[in-house]
Amino acid sequence: MTAGISSDHELCWARVRGRLRTELGDAVFRNWLKPLTFEGIDEGTAIMRAPSPFVRDRVRSQYSDRLRAIWSVEHPDVKSIAIFASSRGRSETSRDEAADAALEAGMVEPAQRPVPLKAPAVHGFSGSDERPDFEAPLDPRFTFDNFVVGKPNELAFAAARRVAESETVPFNPLFLYGGVGLGKTHLMHAIAWHVRQRHPSRRVIYLSAEKFMYQFIRALRFRDTVAFKEQFRSVDLLMIDDVQFISGKDSTQEEFFHTFNALVDQNRQVVISADKSPTDLEGMEERLRSRLGWGLVADIHPTNYELRLGIMQSKAERLGVEMPEKVLEFLSHKISSNVRELEGALNRIVAHSTLVGREISLEMTQEVLVDLLRANDRRVTVEEIQRQVANHFQIRLSEMHSARRSRAIARPRQVAMYLSKQLTSQSLPDIGRKFGGRDHTTVLHAVRKVEELRGLDKQFNDDVDLLRRMLES
């Protein structure tokens, strides 16, 4: 059955678009939802088409629940939505991805006439909206105004703001590190947005380390490294996300090292993010680790209760949803792993309330998030690990924090540090603080020592496995 469009359906679509603009704001609507075209309603499914697979995927992941909810209100017959990419964009993307995959796998040879990379003048954020096709897109939600600041992230926020607002390079590089979902990418996007608005003539490139490596490999295969070097060394601001990805990749590290040095020598700003500090990046050349630590290294610590509550209140306000304070407090206490999980929980509650028409309450929250809350309840704490390890090795719990270094004390303490790294979301500095204020390098040494001993001593390995099973059960 083919979808059809009636005047009634067109009016519904107009109302849906109007509500989306009002709820999500002009920027989000313009970037992601305005490009959608409505193709009709087919057996209870509203069908929309995006101009590209990228827009389709973004709308599906971020706004599909809201789209479905608004459609169901405006047209009761609509029970679901379907979002497709335009036929031309989908086929071209499939061909490009297949060709790139074959090229990377060595299944085909490079073209006889290499396709050069685009000229540097076109790249980055300049006066137009054009950007390199490899550059990661910026999320319009990730601005400084939408970043909730608390003690765990105040240094990183202040440093990012200084880089974005400064007419000169305040520190080079700015190195942001921390666990998953703590705000590193948000701050990098915020810097790029701020620079784009205040200095539209400055050339900015933001991409992941994986994309950097991919472009470097393509340049090597197409014998076009000169264009690659010009492309990355002529920008005013280079931002590389998740730099730990190039650990162990010597050729990419070599090129990144020279790119980094070239930009710093020209007094161009470099911003880097990673999951660990420069000194803890394993598989990274010593000279590169040293360079990454040249400027300002800012750690984003795991969120505390006050910061999580502030984030939840801000998110609910942006969604335009009335959330009972008890629900926000409950979620802020129960979900402590990372901000993404916290925001995902809030989205689930709002979607359930909108789709089912049920009032948001503490009871409803517990029902909707039963799986997520159960998983968080099972999460192990550093304190629990310390108790279990102390009992297993028959030492006093206080020895976990003591300065004693005899093997009978130090080895269980190292095991507890190792299990804390494996079973919790705590950063190395935070783990160290819970073991008598030790430095993060002490924790890293303990992790490496336990890993080494597990491969050499079967009894020791069995002990660690037993402890892990006890803690996870």
Side-chain angles (χ1 to χ4, degrees):
M1 179 176 178
T2 305
I5 304 178
S6 67
S7 58
D8 178 55
H9 293 169
E10 288 285 13
L11 287 173
C12 285
W13 174 233
R15 290 195 297 270
V16 168
R17 284 163 60 90
R19 289 188 60 176
L20 287 169
R21 182 193 288 272
T22 301
E23 291 185 16
L24 301 174
D26 286 338
V28 172
F29 179 82
R30 184 173 61 253
N31 287 328
W32 305 112
L33 299 162
K34 186 178 179 180
L36 296 180
T37 56
F38 173 55
E39 295 195 349
I41 297 175
D42 184 4
E43 296 183 351
T45 299
I47 300 172
M48 289 152 285
R49 195 168 293 280
S52 69
F54 169 69
V55 174
R56 174 202 62 198
D57 293 344
R58 173 65 66 167
V59 173
R60 282 180 177 176
S61 65
Q62 300 292 333
Y63 309 112
S64 60
D65 287 342
R66 198 72 203 111
L67 259 173
R68 183 168 54 249
I70 293 176
W71 260 114
S72 66
V73 171
E74 295 296 340
H75 198 297
D77 291 341
V78 173
K79 305 301 181 187
S80 62
I81 63 171
I83 304 169
F84 302 100
S86 62
S87 300
R88 183 171 177 268
R90 183 168 65 248
S91 62
E92 287 180 351
T93 299
S94 298
R95 287 198 301 271
D96 289 344
E97 289 176 348
D100 290 345
L103 182 65
E104 289 301 303
M107 295 166 61
V108 296
E109 291 298 318
Q112 293 300 314
R113 293 175 58 193
V115 180
L117 296 168
K118 297 177 183 177
V122 179
H123 295 324
F125 291 123
S126 58
S128 71
D129 286 335
E130 293 183 5
R131 65 169 186 254
D133 56 3
F134 59 81
E135 185 181 350
L138 296 178
D139 193 318
R141 300 170 303 164
F142 291 169
T143 64
F144 285 123
D145 290 340
N146 290 339
F147 190 86
V148 181
V149 184
K151 193 151 188 69
N153 59 27
E154 60 184 359
L155 172 62
F157 175 82
R161 189 109 203 186
R162 175 69 64 84
V163 165
E165 294 178 344
S166 182
E167 298 292 335
T168 58
V169 177
F171 18 74
N172 221 359
L174 170 60
F175 191 101
L176 304 171
Y177 79 96
V180 175
L182 297 182
K184 302 185 299 297
T185 299
H186 188 142
L187 287 177
M188 295 186 80
H189 284 222
I191 292 171
W193 280 122
H194 196 85
V195 170
R196 184 183 190 185
Q197 291 164 0
R198 285 175 56 106
H199 306 285
S201 63
R202 290 180 67 182
R203 288 164 295 175
V204 180
I205 285 184
Y206 165 75
L207 76 167
S208 67
E210 180 181 12
K211 283 281 188 180
F212 180 88
M213 182 190 75
Y214 177 71
Q215 288 300 312
F216 178 55
I217 291 172
R218 285 180 63 82
L220 290 176
R221 288 188 179 277
F222 287 110
R223 301 178 179 87
D224 203 19
T225 55
V226 172
F228 175 88
K229 294 177 190 295
E230 290 177 353
Q231 185 167 273
F232 282 97
R233 299 181 191 185
S234 62
V235 299
D236 297 297
L237 171 59
L238 177 63
M239 311 179 76
I240 304 290
D241 213 351
D242 290 324
V243 77
Q244 74 273 1
F245 183 84
I246 64 173
S247 293
K249 300 172 176 66
D250 296 340
S251 297
T252 303
Q253 285 187 41
E254 178 81 15
E255 181 57 35
F256 179 71
F257 175 80
H258 293 304
T259 297
F260 177 91
N261 281 343
L263 290 172
V264 171
D265 289 344
Q266 297 174 64
N267 203 32
R268 309 287 180 86
Q269 182 70 60
V270 180
V271 181
I272 308 291
S273 83
D275 60 351
K276 300 181 181 70
S277 71
T279 56
D280 295 334
L281 288 173
E282 299 179 14
M284 200 76 80
E285 290 183 17
E286 180 57 39
R287 61 176 183 169
L288 182 54
R289 285 208 304 259
S290 174
R291 294 293 194 281
L292 294 176
W294 266 4
L296 177 63
V297 177
D299 180 10
I300 304 180
H301 298 289
T303 56
N304 54 26
Y305 168 74
E306 291 77 14
L307 180 55
R308 290 194 296 274
L309 182 58
I311 290 170
M312 293 291 279
Q313 291 168 337
S314 174
K315 176 75 172 176
E317 185 178 324
R318 289 202 303 273
L319 290 173
V321 178
E322 288 289 335
M323 292 286 292
E325 196 66 22
K326 285 185 178 179
V327 171
L328 295 179
E329 292 173 354
F330 174 76
L331 292 174
S332 301
H333 271 300
K334 283 290 187 179
I335 303 175
S336 59
S337 54
N338 64 64
V339 175
R340 288 180 198 165
E341 196 169 83
L342 198 60
E343 291 186 343
L346 184 60
N347 289 335
R348 283 174 62 179
I349 294 168
V350 172
H352 182 85
S353 174
T354 304
L355 295 171
V356 179
R358 187 176 174 189
E359 183 181 356
I360 297 175
S361 65
L362 190 56
E363 292 73 25
M364 183 267 264
T365 297
Q366 291 172 311
E367 290 177 21
V368 172
L369 302 179
V370 61
D371 58 328
L372 185 60
L373 295 172
R374 188 185 300 120
N376 277 273
D377 285 340
R378 284 201 303 268
R379 286 209 172 98
V380 186
T381 65
V382 173
E383 291 75 16
E384 183 181 354
I385 292 170
Q386 290 173 336
R387 283 194 296 273
Q388 288 274 20
V389 173
N391 289 337
H392 181 82
F393 287 100
Q394 297 183 338
I395 64 172
R396 293 194 301 273
L397 181 59
S398 60
E399 301 292 7
M400 291 291 168
H401 313 89
S402 74
R404 293 182 60 188
R405 302 178 64 180
S406 64
R407 178 173 295 185
I409 302 300
R411 190 69 76 228
R413 189 189 298 134
Q414 288 177 329
V415 170
M417 290 180 183
Y418 169 82
L419 290 171
S420 297
K421 178 67 173 64
Q422 297 296 317
L423 301 179
T424 76
S425 59
Q426 299 288 306
S427 66
L428 295 179
D430 284 335
I431 293 173
R433 280 190 282 272
K434 293 184 178 182
F435 282 83
R438 285 174 165 80
D439 188 79
H440 72 281
T441 56
T442 303
V443 181
L444 184 63
H445 170 73
V447 171
R448 290 172 176 168
K449 187 64 178 178
V450 171
E451 287 174 345
E452 176 189 341
L453 290 172
R454 291 191 70 178
L456 298 174
D457 187 333
K458 184 179 183 306
Q459 181 59 51
F460 180 79
N461 183 59
D462 291 344
D463 283 343
V464 175
D465 276 342
L466 174 61
L467 281 164
R468 180 165 189 154
R469 285 195 300 272
M470 289 169 59
L471 288 163
E472 288 180 329
S473 63

